[in-house]
Amino acid sequence: MRRMSLSARLTATFVAITAACFILVGWLLYRAAEQRIYEQDETNLVLSARHIRRFVAELGSVDDLKAHQDRVTISVLGDPSNALRIVDGAGRIVVDHNAMGYRLDIQSVVPTDQRIVSSMLRTWHDDRGLPIRGVAVVGQLQDGARVTIVVARSLADREVLLRRYGRDMALRLLAGMLAAILLSYVLVRRALRPLHSMATDAATIHAQSLHTRLSAGNAPAELHALSGALNDMLDRLENGFARVWQFTVDLAHDLRTPIGNLRGTNEVALTRPRTSAEYQALLGSNIEECDRVSRTIESVLFLARADNPQFALQRVTLDVEAELERIADYFEGVASEARVAIEISGGATIDADRELFRRAVGNLLSNALRYTPPEQVIKLVAGEANGTVTVAVENPGAGIPAEHLEKLFDRFYRVDRSRSDSASSTGLGLSIVKSIMELHGGRVTVESQLRGITRFVLWFPARRTS
Ligand SMILES: Nc1ncnc2c1ncn2[C@@H]1O[C@H](COP(=O)(O)OP(=O)(O)OP(=O)(O)O)[C@@H](O)[C@H]1O
Ligand SMILES: [Mg+2]
């Protein structure tokens, strides 16, 4: 089923509300008009009945009444809907004025001593179905004779009037409602126009045009918030794309260098016959370049895996001091070759993935070993404060200039490219450390003094007590 558009929905809601209001107001107005008209007629009937009864009471006899017929009927003259009949005690009609000739009902007659009020009026229908409202009262003449006075009014003209009024009003309400539908549709369309133009803008954005931003123009504040949020999202996507693109470029560059080296040295070697010692040296250098390529590929694969939200850590409880001892043992050979000592102090316990912990500390230690001058000491320091465990790798050396510190953990970032483009450097070591710390919910920080101490610190969050 096709979903209703927002304009259609808003218009429908608006129309439903207006229709309900119009119908309610129309009905109330109709009822008020009806009440006013009938009230006025009832007052007139009651006043006429009272007046005629009083007039009859002043007359001497039925004959007097006959003689003064005109003065009696004067109060009902002028409106053909009005009727008056006076009947004497014997049932003879004394006065009769009924231009429309409808049936006059003489029932539940009001006695002489009772004041005539509108609640005594009754409604009946004559043979033609005409609605009639009226009252029958007893009047007494001076000679004691009693007559029955019937005062009535046909309601037919009132009904016609009200029907016409109702029809006119319904037509006007309908016209009003149609105008409201049209107007609300136009207004809603206009209000939603900025949304359409945002959708058009958004439709033009693709991977190659991520720099495009949605403009809210002079749209209402709500849409500004929406376009702001979407533009922020585009900022993030653009950054992410730029990072991926940069990563691809760096990766290509980093693979090109060793492959270029391989090809170059082999080509040179083939220009003339070589001794077996020269071939051995060449193969050794080839293997080193191959190692570098495979290390780069392995690191890139690791980073890609670590980026996957499904990456599962094999957390175990680790005695940090024992782990540091083991890592230091592993690097013992390189350290003694570089004539550098490794010193371990402090201790703590963490929940971490053993392999990844070793890899993170190992990467920091291998950097430290590379940049520590001979006869100096690298310190591995474990500590714990408020449940947070820190593992610091400190080494003396030339230090890292402050402007590099921020980018140090970026993939392929090296401070001194010429020096670290050697076969042993991929520029991925610290970004792997950062990834490992993020997987553990922790972080890695660095501080460095020129010709002083460079300190990398791994921060492990407080252990979860289960
Ligand atoms: N302890 C340190 N002292 C001075 N500079 C350092 C130190 N550790 C890292 N760096 C600088 O940070 C850069 C990035 O280090 P990272 O470990 O990411 O890459 P790499 O050591 O060059 O290569 P890889 O670790 O992949 O062999 C290094 O190239 C180096 O310039
Ligand atoms: Mg490194």
Side-chain angles (χ1 to χ4, degrees):
M1 200 180 78
R2 217 171 143 239
R3 293 184 72 87
M4 244 174 124
S5 74
L6 188 56
S7 349
R9 266 179 226 213
L10 285 174
T11 310
T13 315
F14 190 67
V15 165
I17 293 170
T18 346
C21 292
F22 272 35
I23 289 169
L24 182 72
V25 171
W27 185 75
L28 289 175
L29 283 175
Y30 180 85
R31 290 306 303 234
E34 185 184 54
Q35 208 176 340
R36 282 295 151 274
I37 289 171
Y38 287 136
E39 251 173 30
Q40 189 59 51
D41 284 346
E42 285 178 358
T43 311
N44 288 344
L45 280 170
V46 167
L47 289 178
S48 300
R50 279 186 200 159
H51 171 76
I52 294 167
R53 186 164 71 171
R54 239 184 348 256
F55 185 73
V56 165
E58 284 167 15
L59 295 172
S61 64
V62 172
D63 289 334
D64 274 354
L65 181 56
K66 276 186 187 157
H68 290 95
Q69 253 198 58
D70 295 348
R71 291 184 56 196
V72 180
T73 49
I74 199 146
S75 62
V76 293
L77 279 177
D79 185 346
S81 297
N82 288 340
L84 164 69
R85 178 173 295 168
I86 301 179
V87 183
D88 70 5
R92 285 186 299 262
I93 295 173
V94 183
V95 177
D96 197 20
H97 173 88
N98 186 351
M100 287 172 72
Y102 50 77
R103 181 171 63 80
L104 290 173
D105 216 8
I106 308 178
Q107 270 179 23
S108 55
V109 187
V110 182
T112 38
D113 53 347
Q114 235 177 47
R115 188 177 155 74
I116 307 164
V117 289
S118 57
S119 64
M120 292 166 179
L121 294 168
R122 292 182 308 107
T123 305
W124 67 89
H125 289 82
D126 88 339
D127 309 332
R128 291 166 290 176
L130 278 183
I132 297 145
R133 192 142 175 83
V135 64
V137 303
V138 176
Q140 193 166 22
L141 294 147
Q142 296 278 317
D143 63 358
R146 286 166 180 251
V147 289
T148 304
I149 308 160
V150 186
V151 186
R153 189 190 194 293
S154 155
L155 300 181
D157 60 336
R158 300 309 195 203
E159 286 196 346
V160 169
L161 182 78
L162 279 170
R163 222 176 295 134
R164 203 173 294 156
Y165 173 67
R167 201 186 50 220
D168 285 356
M169 196 157 65
L171 282 175
R172 282 175 178 79
L173 288 182
L174 202 69
M177 234 145 74
L178 286 177
I181 293 174
L182 206 75
L183 217 68
S184 55
Y185 183 73
V186 170
L187 288 179
V188 166
R189 290 278 306 194
R190 180 176 294 186
L192 292 180
R193 204 177 294 153
L195 209 60
H196 287 292
S197 74
M198 263 166 72
T200 317
D201 285 353
T204 63
I205 299 176
H206 42 81
Q208 278 75 41
S209 60
L210 276 178
H211 55 273
T212 314
R213 292 292 173 268
L214 304 177
S215 93
N218 48 8
E222 292 87 339
L223 290 188
H224 274 278
L226 177 66
S227 70
L230 289 174
N231 285 338
D232 288 349
M233 182 186 78
L234 284 171
D235 284 345
R236 291 192 295 273
L237 284 178
E238 193 182 8
N239 280 340
F241 256 72
R243 284 222 317 274
V244 171
W245 180 78
Q246 189 58 46
F247 183 61
T248 315
V249 170
D250 291 344
L251 177 61
H253 174 263
D254 268 71
L255 291 179
R256 198 178 55 184
T257 311
I259 289 169
N261 288 350
L262 266 175
R263 201 191 151 82
T265 48
N266 288 352
E267 251 171 15
V268 171
L270 286 175
T271 51
R272 59 181 170 84
R274 305 276 172 185
T275 64
S276 75
E278 279 174 326
Y279 280 125
Q280 254 178 8
L282 175 71
L283 289 179
S285 130
N286 282 357
I287 288 172
E288 243 177 55
E289 293 296 350
C290 286
D291 281 351
R292 181 174 168 190
V293 171
S294 59
R295 246 201 339 274
T296 304
I297 290 171
E298 194 272 332
S299 296
V300 168
L301 282 177
F302 174 83
L303 286 168
R305 270 205 311 277
D307 274 352
N308 185 342
Q310 246 100 68
F311 189 97
L313 287 181
Q314 312 280 314
R315 275 185 200 268
V316 287
T317 304
L318 295 181
D319 174 358
V320 175
E321 196 184 359
E323 284 302 321
L324 293 181
E325 300 274 9
R326 219 162 278 142
I327 297 164
D329 277 353
Y330 180 79
F331 281 92
E332 191 47 54
V334 190
S336 62
E337 210 174 289
R339 288 184 287 129
V340 168
I342 302 172
E343 213 177 83
I344 295 165
S345 61
T349 311
I350 52 169
D351 283 336
D353 185 304
R354 192 191 302 274
E355 278 312 309
L356 297 189
F357 178 81
R358 286 181 184 172
R359 189 163 186 167
V361 178
N363 281 1
L364 295 180
L365 189 53
S366 88
N367 284 350
L369 282 165
R370 197 181 303 154
Y371 295 101
T372 306
E375 315 303 340
Q376 301 275 1
V377 180
I378 296 173
K379 287 183 183 164
L380 304 182
V381 188
E384 185 165 2
N386 300 328
T388 304
V389 172
T390 54
V391 178
V393 179
E394 309 174 2
N395 71 285
I400 307 169
E403 67 268 24
H404 295 288
L405 292 180
E406 205 186 316
K407 293 186 183 152
L408 216 55
F409 298 96
D410 288 356
R411 294 168 186 192
F412 295 111
Y413 192 81
R414 302 168 180 107
V415 175
D416 181 358
R417 279 207 164 253
S418 58
R419 189 177 158 184
S420 23
D421 260 359
S422 70
S424 59
S425 167
T426 66
L428 291 169
L430 287 178
S431 49
I432 288 176
V433 175
K434 186 180 167 206
S435 272
I436 290 174
M437 290 318 292
E438 281 169 357
L439 284 170
H440 284 86
R443 63 203 165 92
V444 53
T445 56
V446 59
E447 53 198 36
S448 184
Q449 298 158 340
L450 292 181
R451 286 180 297 286
I453 299 289
T454 296
R455 180 185 293 112
F456 285 88
V457 186
L458 307 179
W459 302 78
F460 289 89
R463 291 173 70 188
R464 284 164 296 180
T465 45
S466 53

